[in-house]
Each structure stands twice: as structure tokens, then as C-alpha cells.
Amino acid sequence: MLQVKQDLLAALGQALDGLLPGSASKAAFESPKVAAHGDFAITAAMQLAKPLKLNPRQLGEQLRDALLASAPYQQWVQDIEIAGPGFINLRLKPSAKQQVVREVLSAKERFGFKTVEGAGPTPSQADAPARQRVLVEFVSANPTGPLHVGHGRQAALGDAICNLLETQGLDVYREFYYNDAGVQIDTLAKSTQLRAQGFKPGDACWPTDTENPASKAFYNGEYIADIAADFLAKKTVTADDRSFTASGDANDLNGIRQFAVAYLRHEQDLDLKAFEVKFDNYYLESSLYTDGKVADAVTRLQAAGKTYEQDGALWLKSTDYGDDKDRVMRKSDGTYTYFVPDVAYHIAKWQRGFTRVVNIQGSDHHGTIARVRAGLQAAGVGIPEGYPDYVLHTMVRVMRGGEEVKISKRAGSYVTLRDLIEWTSKDAVRFFLLSRKPDTEYTFDVDLAVTKNNDNPVYYVQYAHARICSVLANAQDPTQAQALTGLEKADLSPLDSAPAQALMMLLAKYPDMLSAAAQDFAPHDVTFYLRELAAAYHSYYDAERILVDEPKVRQARLALVAATAQVLHNGLALLGVSAPTSM
């Protein structure tokens, strides 16, 4: 049906151009608000009525006549009617809707994917044009503790957004950025050292917020004691990006610092592995200083005349770029504020060839967006306005047994990602955390996530897939009249009932849904679509028996449900959720 839609749009563009030269760009289909009104709606008559000085309904009649005269509309459209002030509603022939079944069964996992502009379906390495490179930075948790459920939401969002962008033909690169130096890491090292020296939270020597106004209180979680014990045992820890062997000397603060970072990076790797999230690169904040990138960024801003000295500090004229006030870059003590290495980091992203960048961060980073973008514009390296894109998410509340969970035995202060996976499953955590817009508050209901009924959204979708797999398995039973072969070539003409056509129209919406979700960074759209598709399948299953005796009808219905299973599988895979064949 994708080709059918393209042919119909092309014919619509020609008809519009015939009415008003240059108006072919207005060729578009919308979904009628009421399904009974038709399959596609056209609003172009209302848009062109004023420049053509015609009544919209009169123009609609002219457009209708032009469309009915075209070959694609004669072949695929059953009826065209004018409604309201000039809406044109199309009702497709069943044969048009049936085409999507063949397209799904032919494309399989690639159904809905866009090919690179100008390239064939399977371009050779030499012939394929370069794809736009996109860097998606997500999770980016500092190695000061286990990944909590908020990091889990970010991991699910980042991975799903990467998958969505890949469906649009983009070259996607996943990056994890973390602070391996600075106040937080210094606090981590000193907290671990005190534990290694035999002290614990509550002892007189243990700093608190009041005693340490310039920094956070020391880390109190029991995981700090675990790090200290392994350091004293002279263990070696290995993470994806580093490895370190402990000296066992409680006075070796630098060694404790490196060991603690490696230890927690290893713990984060375990969390991410359990969540099935992988990265192409780990980028260290410290490298921005050692490689001179921070100094270079500051020099560029000074040379551009975008800074000034005041009260012993260096300021950026960020108000020149829409910020509500100028921002301090270098404090009076000589240290840089948080956004300066961020500016240097994004200049490095641009220089590495990433013309598009997406940052997925907590909503607490909202205040840094304007100053980072201002710094990038002021640096004068050719970065366009609006670079990078941001997706901000809120934190997650966790409910268990009807009460909010506030304490984790592992972290001492919050629910870890691994806790949530152990309580439920990787599939449930991913689907649930992606089921709402990132910037909306979300409460994760642990009890709901483990229920096996239709109230559990991930179970509902997975069950639809498993139910189809059961039907397909039964169709291959030797006692059945015909084997499950050649479904992509089946005669689909029996698929003319209302439930079958509704299911096919929903399958046909999948590619456009992917495109919109990728453009809007909205994986929650995929969860909504999958729930709607599962409901449509369940309705179809209840309306029509699939394994009937008539071979032609049976094969057509098997082809339809096999295509439905494929799209359910594809959508779940984009979310990082499995598609079980039995439940």
C-alpha cells in the first residue's frame, strides 16, 4: 500500500498543478477524524480556494473530476466524495489496502525503513550517497553510584530514539559522556577513603552538607563500603573503557579515585548490559582539558569579542544570543563553570563530523541549553542555530505494594535500574518507561508490570504476538490441509471484510508513524501504535476464524496475521522489547 499511496499522491500533485501551477507541493493525505468518512482526506481545495477565487466545494468538485480521470485513482479508489466546506474523502478499494500485506511480508524487519535519498533498495558501498551522521548522547551518568531509575528512563529513551533515527536512513552513533574529575569524583574518592580507613556515615569525621557547604555531602550508600573493601583486597576492576588494579593502601587517594571510578563504571556496564543498551564510545570530560579543547574554546570566544572581565571573573555575552543574562565562564578562583566544557565538547562533536546532535538529559539541565547554544554560536566555527537538539525527561516515581518506594538496599537513597529489572523484567521496564512523553511525570507501577492480563500494556502487546505465532504454528500442523508456505504470494482478495480492512489500514500507518516519531523524538508514539495494533488484531481474531477449511480464504487470513505479527515484532524491537512466540 506504500506504493499505492505514493501513486495516489503523485496523481493528486499533478491534478493540483493543473488547477494552479506550482501547487503540487500541497498534495497530502490526512486521516479522517471519523473512520466511516473514508480512508484518506484531502484539504487542498480549501487551501487553494482563495488564490483561485473559487468556492471550496466548487473547487473540490473540479479536483474530484480530475482525480477520477487519472489511472491510479481509477485503479485503487472506490469512491471520492465532497464533505463539509470542501473536504475530499477517499475510500480505497479492498485491493489497495491488501497491498500492505505483501509489502510487510516482503520487507520483513525492514518494513517502514527509508532508504537513502537517491539510492536503490540495496545500494552498493561505492554507489550509496553519504548518510547524515547523527550523534545521540544519553545516560551520561557520572561514575559516583549505581544507575538509578531516572538513568533507566534516559537509557530507554536514548536507545529507542537511536533505533527510530536509523529507520529514517540516518547514520547513528551512540555516545556516553561522563565526568571523571571535579568535585563529585573528589567527594567519591574521599568517601571511599574514609570507608577504607574504617569510618562510616554518622561518625564524627564524616562530612555533611552543613560541614561541606562548597560540595555535596559524602556518599553514604553501602556500595561505597563495597568499593573500599575491594580496594583493600587489591582487586582489579575492568569496565568497557578502563581497567585498574587497587594498591590496597588506604592512604593512596589517587589510586582510590581511579579504582572507584573504574568500579562504578563496571557496575554501570552491568546495569546497561542487563538493559541491553550498548554505546559506540565513552567520552571523558577530563580529555577536554588534557587535549586543550576547553582552552581552545575559551580562546575562540575571547578572540570573537564575546567575553568580558568583571568582578574577577570571565563572562560570556550570552544575552547576544537570546539568553536572559550573561553567564560566568571562569570564576574568580580560576575554575570553569559547568557549561564551558559543554561548549568545548559540542565543538568537538561538530569537528568530528556530526552535523546533527541529540542530547537526552534530565529536565534539570533545562537552564544550560541557552548558554551552551550561545557559546556555540559565539565560537564562530560554523555551527548552525539550534544545535544541538535536546530531549529532556522528568524523573520517575516507583510504586510497589501501593506505596512509593524511596529506599534501595543497594544504593541507600534511590531505586536502581537493576532493582527495577529484577523486580519486573527488562521488557516491562523498557516499555513502561517509554509509554509516556519524556517531559511528563511518570509513576512506574511494579505490581502492574508483573501482572499477566490486559491491564499490563507490554503483556497485552506481547500476548498479541504470541497469539498469532500460535495460530501460525497450528497452521503448519500435518493434519491441516495446507502448509504455511508462500504467504507473500497468496491471493488476498478474500480480505474484504471490515475487520480485515481496518487491520490492514493500521498496518499501512506504521511507516508514517515511524517517520513522525523519529522527527519528534517520540518513542511513546510507538507504544501507542503497538497497543492499537494489538487491539485491532484481537478484534479481528474474534470476528473471523483464521484456520478455515477453504484454502484460499485460509491462506489470505494467515498472510494478514503473519504481517501483523511482523509489524508487532518490528515495533517491539525498536523499543528494545522482545516479541515472545509463546506466553
Side-chain angles (χ1 to χ4, degrees), residues 93-140:
K93 294 179 181 178
S95 59
K97 301 173 187 178
Q98 291 157 6
Q99 299 306 307
V100 72
V101 175
R102 300 195 198 284
E103 290 169 348
V104 173
L105 295 178
S106 175
K108 296 182 173 63
E109 289 85 359
R110 301 290 297 179
F111 177 67
F113 279 58
K114 288 185 178 178
T115 54
V116 180
E117 188 77 23
T122 54
S124 68
Q125 204 73 6
D127 297 336
R131 295 185 296 161
Q132 183 185 23
R133 302 186 72 207
V134 181
L135 185 152
V136 182
E137 178 205 334
F138 61 105
V139 180
S140 295

Side-chain angles (χ1 to χ4, degrees), residues 128-356:
R131 295 185 296 161
Q132 183 185 23
R133 302 186 72 207
V134 181
L135 185 152
V136 182
E137 178 205 334
F138 61 105
V139 180
S140 295
N142 293 337
T144 54
L147 297 183
H148 55 64
V149 65
H151 295 130
R153 187 175 199 183
Q154 192 172 138
L157 280 168
D159 199 43
I161 287 172
C162 287
N163 292 337
L164 280 169
L165 294 175
E166 286 171 344
T167 70
Q168 305 305 296
L170 301 176
D171 183 10
V172 181
Y173 191 83
R174 294 161 162 83
E175 188 154 280
F176 186 124
Y177 170 87
Y178 67 89
N179 179 349
D180 59 334
V183 173
Q184 287 185 321
I185 300 300
D186 187 55
T187 301
L188 170 68
K190 291 177 179 177
S191 302
T192 306
Q193 184 179 47
L194 281 180
R195 284 284 197 169
Q197 292 172 342
F199 300 104
K200 63 183 183 302
D203 289 346
C205 64
W206 198 272
T208 64
D209 281 320
T210 303
E211 297 164 350
N212 252 348
S215 68
K216 291 186 176 181
F218 277 23
Y219 297 107
N220 299 334
E222 283 303 309
Y223 67 93
I224 298 296
D226 295 338
I227 299 172
D230 284 356
F231 178 82
L232 293 175
K234 301 182 180 180
K235 290 187 178 181
T236 298
V237 289
T238 300
D240 281 352
D241 66 311
R242 61 178 61 211
S243 180
F244 190 80
T245 301
S247 67
D249 180 2
N251 295 315
D252 179 10
L253 183 59
N254 185 56
I256 290 174
R257 176 183 289 104
Q258 294 187 60
F259 182 81
V261 169
Y263 183 102
L264 288 169
R265 279 291 309 111
H266 171 72
E267 286 290 305
Q268 291 177 350
D269 289 342
L270 294 177
D271 293 336
L272 294 169
K273 184 178 180 179
F275 212 40
E276 296 185 7
V277 173
K278 296 180 180 179
F279 290 90
D280 298 302
N281 187 47
Y282 291 86
Y283 201 102
L284 279 63
E285 182 183 11
S286 62
S287 70
L288 295 170
Y289 292 93
T290 57
D291 295 344
K293 289 183 171 58
V294 171
D296 178 69
V298 173
T299 299
R300 286 179 182 275
L301 294 171
Q302 290 176 313
K306 297 299 181 180
T307 65
Y308 60 91
E309 297 274 355
Q310 182 177 303
D311 300 327
L314 180 66
W315 295 69
L316 174 68
K317 298 177 181 178
S318 55
T319 50
D320 289 354
Y321 300 93
D323 199 0
D324 59 345
K325 61 181 179 181
D326 291 342
R327 305 291 177 173
V328 174
M329 292 175 54
R330 187 179 61 230
K331 295 179 284 189
S332 57
D333 63 3
T335 60
Y336 290 108
T337 54
Y338 183 79
F339 84 95
V340 177
D342 260 9
V343 171
Y345 178 38
H346 285 86
I347 291 175
K349 289 180 180 180
W350 177 261
Q351 293 173 337
R352 288 156 62 196
F354 294 106
T355 56
R356 189 176 181 191

Side-chain angles (χ1 to χ4, degrees), residues 385-460:
E385 292 184 19
Y387 182 101
D389 289 312
Y390 285 89
V391 177
L392 302 183
H393 67 90
T394 59
M395 296 298 288
V396 179
R397 296 172 63 229
V398 177
M399 300 292 292
R400 192 182 191 193
E403 297 181 356
E404 183 173 356
V405 182
K406 295 182 178 294
I407 298 176
S408 165
K409 62 182 180 181
R410 295 182 63 248
S413 59
Y414 51 75
V415 179
T416 69
L417 174 58
R418 222 179 309 172
D419 283 337
L420 213 53
I421 295 172
E422 290 170 0
W423 292 344
T424 58
S425 68
K426 181 267 295 181
D427 286 347
V429 175
R430 277 200 180 237
F431 198 98
F432 274 49
L433 293 180
L434 291 171
S435 63
R436 295 289 185 275
K437 291 180 63 175
D439 60 355
T440 59
E441 297 291 336
Y442 183 65
T443 299
F444 190 106
D445 189 334
V446 172
D447 300 321
L448 177 61
V450 297
T451 58
K452 295 182 179 181
N453 59 41
N454 292 344
D455 293 332
N456 180 346
V458 66
Y459 178 86
Y460 185 69

